[in-house]
Amino acid sequence: MKVLGIETSCDETAVAVVQDRRVLSNLIASQTDLHARFGGVVPELASRAHVEALNPLLEEALEDAGCRFADIDAVAVTVGPGLVGALLVGMAGAKAVALATGAEFIGVNHLEGHIYANFLEHGAPEPPYVCLVISGGHTMLVHMPQEHRYEVLGQTVDDAAGEAFDKIARFMGLGFPGGPALDTLAREGDPSAIRFPRAMLDSGDYGFSLSGLKTSVLRHVKAEQEAGRTVDPADLAASFQEAIVDVQVTKTIRAAREKGVGTVLLGGGVVANTRLRERMDAAGEQAGIRVLFPSMPLCTDNAAMIACAGASRLERGERTSFEVGADPGLELAS
Ligand code: KG4
Ligand code: ZN
């Protein structure tokens, strides 16, 4: 089955063609430059840019995959969570293609897409899994007893991890989005240079809190400046990053142990973080737990992951009505 995937939930217009978990094409028109001067995503600009980018990208993705609209068996599209105006553009395009070609139509939860990105490269390991979904908008631990069944174990009570990366990067003048720049800078620094708090590390649940860490960083820099000392940016980046990674790794492995699962799946933009990948690998090895994460380009938003999750639902006989609307706050467990 050839599935066309469309993803427009935030600031990337993405189109992919996936067949039996093989990525035939996977294209992204990034809007980063458009939003950079505002230091964050401007929803109205995002929607308009999706409108401009979608049609040419559809043509290009089909050409890359060596097929035509008529060869597409199904269309999978992100229906939430995300920016409502942005989601609507992708959904209108997806419905139009499905209607015009007679292809099946399936709506996909963006977070499920991030989890299913793993299946494109690692095959579908036997459930159960514990999943850490960590992106610009979400930070959550999820127990998956079987495919497409989600029990949210805990999530952030304030900022998402990606948001924390972006805010600190912005404070440090590293531009937008800041996660990748901060990751690069941190490689030159000492992660133990500054001991930032590990919020909720021992809270006894699977919740996360990230806004306190941001305040600690700002306070530390101010105090050092007032004392007439300079702060090494690489040390600051590495120490901040380590505080986030420490909590994510510890809680994820703990959840896998307590739930008795042998496989951990990581998904979301922050999984592109070098240090998180290193530390998760090491922790998994030590605990005897298989830790899987997608290759870098499949961690951040893309449409191949949406096609993959959609294909899995279609195989189970699911279909989505054309009546479906965009759901900006769509939950994973539903
Ligand atoms: O999944 P994603 O592409 O979009 C959302 O669904 O939110 O995640 C984007 C987030 C941004 O906050 C970005 O700064 C962060 O992922 N990110 C990273 C890295 N690459 C992307 N954070 C830390 N280190 C990275 N290498
Ligand atoms: Zn995402």
Side-chain angles (χ1 to χ4, degrees):
M1 187 168 52
K2 275 200 179 81
V3 182
L4 177 73
I6 300 179
E7 150 66 42
T8 61
S9 68
C10 191
D11 60 343
E12 325 270 10
T13 317
V15 181
V17 180
V18 171
Q19 182 172 27
D20 306 326
R21 292 204 203 99
R22 261 185 326 121
V23 181
L24 303 185
S25 68
N26 188 24
L27 298 180
I28 297 171
S30 177
Q31 306 175 6
T32 305
D33 294 346
L34 183 66
H35 302 288
R37 65 197 155 114
F38 301 104
V41 178
V42 183
E44 184 56 29
L45 290 182
S47 311
R48 289 175 194 211
H50 286 311
V51 171
E52 282 173 20
L54 187 58
N55 280 354
L57 207 63
L58 274 167
E59 305 268 352
E60 221 180 304
L62 288 173
E63 197 181 311
D64 260 24
C67 59
R68 295 167 304 138
F69 277 113
D71 302 324
I72 295 298
D73 300 300
V75 185
V77 65
T78 307
V79 295
L83 302 169
V84 68
L87 288 164
L88 284 171
V89 178
M91 289 176 68
K95 287 177 187 176
V97 173
L99 267 170
T101 62
E104 304 288 358
F105 177 71
I106 188 92
V108 174
N109 182 313
H110 179 82
L111 305 177
E112 178 169 82
H114 275 307
I115 293 170
Y116 273 75
N118 284 289
F119 295 8
L120 289 168
E121 289 164 318
H122 307 301
E126 268 301 297
Y129 331 111
V130 157
C131 312
L132 174 70
V133 180
I134 179 170
S135 71
H138 293 83
T139 298
M140 57 166 72
L141 272 168
V142 183
H143 176 226
M144 260 178 98
Q146 47 183 279
E147 280 204 41
H148 304 290
R149 291 291 300 278
Y150 303 98
E151 179 201 348
V152 177
L153 300 173
Q155 49 192 320
T156 179
V157 296
D158 39 56
D159 291 352
E163 201 178 347
F165 269 100
D166 292 339
K167 284 179 179 170
I168 293 301
R170 188 176 178 185
F171 166 70
M172 294 178 71
L174 299 175
F176 168 84
L182 201 145
D183 181 351
T184 306
L185 179 62
R187 280 178 224 156
E188 315 292 319
D190 172 7
S192 59
I194 311 154
R195 178 80 194 170
F196 289 121
R198 270 63 174 159
M200 294 181 75
L201 183 64
D202 296 308
S203 57
D205 61 13
Y206 299 114
F208 300 96
S209 170
L210 288 129
S211 68
L213 173 61
K214 192 181 58 200
T215 314
S216 301
V217 172
L218 303 191
R219 238 189 244 140
H220 174 82
V221 172
K222 190 160 177 263
E224 290 295 288
Q225 283 170 346
E226 281 172 5
R229 290 187 288 265
T230 52
V231 180
D232 179 60
D235 282 350
L236 184 70
S239 301
F240 159 78
Q241 177 176 271
E242 200 70 4
I244 293 193
V245 170
D246 249 356
V247 180
Q248 302 297 326
V249 172
T250 307
K251 288 201 147 179
T252 304
I253 297 295
R254 196 181 292 159
R257 279 220 178 98
E258 285 174 8
K259 285 286 165 188
V261 312
T263 307
V264 163
L265 305 178
L266 309 181
V270 181
V271 179
N273 185 266
T274 324
R275 187 67 177 158
L276 181 76
R277 296 165 84 91
E278 270 173 21
R279 293 277 314 273
M280 278 288 184
D281 251 348
E285 200 162 310
Q286 204 188 2
I289 291 166
R290 188 176 179 208
V291 176
L292 301 178
F293 39 76
S295 64
M296 299 282 205
L298 291 177
C299 285
T300 41
D301 289 350
N302 65 86
M305 68 184 196
I306 302 301
C308 181
S312 173
R313 286 195 175 267
L314 288 160
E315 277 160 23
R316 292 152 42 103
E318 284 185 40
R319 302 290 182 269
T320 302
S321 154
F322 285 131
E323 304 292 312
V324 68
D327 186 349
L330 186 62
E331 307 259 348
L332 195 49
S334 51

